């Protein structure tokens, strides 16, 4: 069993505080992804867990041991680096077996474990080569093999796919996920790529400026972002954010976009929000669609808007429209009619996909999406 | 077109080689020329008759073998000590953060700024009371002191060229920092170690000034000082001097042949992305 637990972990580099009060519990066999823009402290946090950086405060536990002062070798972890960090003077076989050799494992055991990992990753045919004779994708596999062979309690991945081209990255992403299904181990994975985060994670930790912005399942982070930062960071294209105001709407509450439609709010989800408050309205691109091609929505609401531009992408299309003077992106899947810029087009918006944020703090005030778990 | 380019490149290489090797050819030519032909044959590239008499004299009758042995001891000793020390210093400068690191590095540069001639008298004053004047150990100490700063910078830059992730990976794989250094970093540092060894060995091998000032007894002389003994009151014995110089070139040549494969870099290829 290898839970990882961080309590109030702090990292300072001289006067600069890189990580603030980081608290998180990671369950056994969980796949957790730290995501955020560069400089947000995600890699530093991972390196503190690995023991490659000292911590300036707080407590890190792996399993039932506090590892604050343990060297990396005593933490029962393995790590895959962004630049692979394969030992260039050793063959693939020796690279993979190095950890076991250092630990003094018998030769037969090393050979057996290296062979098993090589088979799992499909690298048996180049065990005798040196890293220089391998392609980027092969090196990445060898780096993962080296991590698996030691059978650690926790796997750490530091942006392992960022040096690969887009196609290979997609393939390797799938392989990492499959690998986790086969080798059930706790995984902590750092990336700046939100697609990787969404596809791989059991839980995503979104970080910003050394702080946790949100922890949640990919669905939670996507549909109910804790802040406008998360809303803008997760999803491509990102969530549309519009300046708006809450108004009384009969018995209930609505949000009004200046120069645009007035959208009724789910009274239950947005309980406690007073009318007359400035807010930022968050709308995912797929929550908006031209009425004539809209697919099924939970709570459709009609309004009209002008289409300014259409970007067909094959299986989907991005439609740019104007609501109250702000450009908004809509995404429709498999559009079967040809779309083009035109005026006064009937649109629908899904009222079950609204998020309201505080314009000052950026924190979410309410979200109308009902999550299956809620 | 390609043939012309290739031919041009080879021509330039050949011209460079001829220019660089000409002094060596001249050294050998004079060493092999019988004394009586030295001035009569003028500047022909190769003498009409060759003789090994100069070499025989230098090896059998002059004290040159002693000088030679002294130089080997002093140069190898200096090269080994400087390389070991500069490896440690370069590693510390490259991998550790510590108070006063920048000041220390600047200080090392400053030591390189003084003209060496200025230091001879004070150095003599320092070495004399501790009995290190006119000893080979004294020479090793002095050469080490003067070569260490540059060698440390050289090693530092080689360490900087090795990705930190490699030793971090090793430390996660179960190594201590020292094990990571010995098993992962040093094998990749062989070009750096080779370059430093070569640089220091050559510098110590051909050093004249300190040897001249600090060594007085015949038994401790290095060959650079010894070469001067061929300059007599009645004139210079060119043939013997060149024969001695030719012999003195052999050890550095062997040394560089031995380490040349480490001097050619590229060992770290494939360590990281690419």
């Amino acid at each position: 069993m290898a839970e990882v637990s961080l309590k109030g972990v702090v990292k300072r580099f001289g006067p600069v505080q890189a990580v603030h009060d980081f608290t998180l519990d990671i369950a056994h066999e969980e796949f957790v992804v730290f995501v955020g823009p560069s400089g947000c402290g995600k890699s530093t946090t991972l390196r503190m867990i690995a023991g490659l950086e000292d911590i300036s405060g707080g407590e890190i536990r792996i399993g039932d041991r506090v590892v604050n002062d343990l060297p990396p070798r005593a933490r029962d972890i393995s790590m895959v680096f962004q630049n692979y960090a394969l030992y260039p003077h050793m063959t693939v076989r020796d690279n993979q077996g190095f950890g076991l050799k250092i630990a003094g494992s018998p030769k037969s055991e090393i050979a057996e474990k290296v062979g098993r990992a090589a088979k799992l990753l499909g690298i048996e045919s180049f065990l005798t080569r040196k890293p220089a004779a391998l392609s980027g994708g092969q090196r990445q596999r060898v780096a993962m093999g080296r991590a698996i062979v030691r059978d650690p309690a926790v796997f750490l991945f530091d942006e392992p796919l960022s040096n690969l081209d887009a196609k290979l990255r997609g393939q390797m992403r799938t392989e990492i996920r499959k690998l986790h299904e086969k080798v059930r181990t706790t995984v902590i994975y750092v990336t700046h790529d939100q697609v990787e985060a969404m596809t791989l994670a059991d839980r995503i930790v979104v970080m910003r400026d050394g702080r946790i912005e949100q922890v949640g399942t990919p669905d939670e982070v996507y549909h109910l972002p804790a802040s406008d930062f998360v809303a803008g960071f997760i999803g491509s294209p990102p969530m549309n954010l519009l300046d708006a105001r809450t108004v009384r709407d009969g018995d209930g509450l609505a949000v009004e976009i200046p120069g645009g439609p007035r959208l009724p709010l789910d009274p239950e989800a947005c309980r406690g929000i007073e009318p007359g408050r400035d807010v930022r309205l968050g709308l995912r691109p797929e929550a908006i669609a031209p009425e004539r091609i809209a697919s099924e929505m939970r709570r459709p609401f009609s309004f009209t808007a002008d289409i300014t531009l259409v970007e067909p992408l094959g299986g989907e299309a991005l439609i740019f429209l104007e609501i109250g003077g702000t450009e908004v992106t809509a995404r429709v899947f498999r559009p079967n009619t040809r779309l083009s810029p035109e005026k006064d087009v009937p649109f629908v918006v899904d009222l079950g996909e609204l998020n309201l944020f505080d314009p000052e703090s950026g924190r979410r005030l309410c979200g109308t999406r009902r999550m299956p778990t809620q | 077109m390609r043939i012309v380019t290739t031919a041009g490149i080879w021509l330039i290489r050949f011209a460079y080689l001829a220019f660089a090797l000409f002094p060596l050819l001249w050294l050998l030519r004079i060493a092999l020329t019988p004394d009586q032909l030295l001035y009569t044959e003028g500047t022909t590239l190769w003498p009409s008759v060759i003789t090994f008499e100069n070499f025989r004299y230098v090896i059998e009758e002059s004290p040159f073998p002693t000088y030679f042995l002294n130089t080997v001891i002093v140069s190898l000793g200096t090269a080994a000590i400087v390389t070991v020390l500069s490896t440690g210093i370069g590693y510390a400068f490259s991998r550790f953060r510590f108070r006063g690191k920048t000041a220390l590095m600047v200080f090392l540069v400053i030591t390189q700024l003084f003209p060496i001639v200025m230091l001879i008298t004070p150095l003599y004053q320092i070495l004399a009371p501790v009995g290190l004047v006119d000893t080979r150990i004294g020479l090793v100490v002095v050469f080490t002191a003067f070569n260490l700063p540059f060698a440390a910078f050289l090693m530092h830059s080689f360490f900087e060229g090795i990705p930190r992730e490699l030793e971090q990976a090793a430390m996660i794989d179960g190594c201590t920092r020292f094990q990571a250094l010995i098993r992962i970093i040093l094998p990749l540092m062989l070009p750096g170690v080779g370059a430093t060894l070569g640089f220091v060995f050559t510098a110590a091998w051909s050093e004249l000034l300190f040897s001249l000032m600090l060594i007085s007894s015949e038994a401790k002389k290095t060959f650079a000082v010894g070469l001067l003994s061929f300059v007599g009151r009645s004139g210079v014995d060119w043939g013997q001097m060149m024969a001695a110089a030719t012999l003195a070139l052999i050890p550095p040549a062997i040394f560089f042949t031995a380490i040349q494969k480490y001097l050619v870099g590229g060992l770290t290829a494939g360590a990281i992305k690419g």
Side-chain angles (χ1 to χ4, degrees), chain A residues 210-361:
Chain A
R211 289 188 168 84
I212 294 180
E213 195 79 5
Q214 182 172 10
V215 181
T217 64
D219 266 354
E220 282 164 2
V221 169
Y222 188 80
H223 293 290
L224 291 172
S227 66
D228 54 359
F229 170 80
V230 178
F233 190 78
I234 300 286
S236 173
M239 184 180 275
N240 297 294
L241 291 167
L242 298 126
D243 289 325
R245 197 175 176 79
T246 53
V247 289
R248 199 171 292 285
D249 183 49
D251 286 348
L253 198 66
V255 57
E256 187 173 64
I257 305 159
R262 169 190 282 214
L263 311 174
L265 289 169
D266 180 347
E268 201 178 311
C270 295
R271 196 181 304 148
I273 296 176
E274 66 279 21
R277 191 188 204 289
D278 283 333
V279 292
R280 295 188 85 192
L281 170 66
L283 276 173
R284 284 282 171 206
E286 49 286 6
I288 315 165
E291 195 157 17
R292 63 176 189 269
I293 56 166
S295 48
E296 200 178 317
M297 286 188 180
R298 278 166 242 256
R299 293 178 56 207
F301 179 87
S302 303
F303 66 101
T304 58
D306 300 341
I307 298 181
T308 55
L309 183 72
V310 177
E311 277 184 0
L313 298 170
E316 61 183 57
L318 298 182
I319 301 168
F320 296 88
L321 60 147
E322 240 180 59
I323 303 179
T326 309
E327 185 166 80
V328 169
T329 314
R331 172 154 61 179
V332 289
F333 298 95
R334 284 179 288 143
N336 44 16
T337 22
R338 202 174 153 66
L339 297 156
S340 56
E342 56 183 298
K343 295 235 175 252
D344 294 328
V345 184
F347 270 89
V348 280
V349 57
D350 192 341
L351 297 180
E353 292 280 356
L354 306 184
N355 281 287
L356 297 189
F357 300 98
D358 183 90
E360 300 283 319
S361 67

Side-chain angles (χ1 to χ4, degrees), chain A residues 52-67:
Chain A
L52 298 173
E53 296 282 355
D54 295 332
I55 63 173
S56 316
E59 185 185 275
I60 300 178
R61 280 175 175 273
I62 296 176
D64 47 13
R65 288 187 306 164
V66 176
V67 298

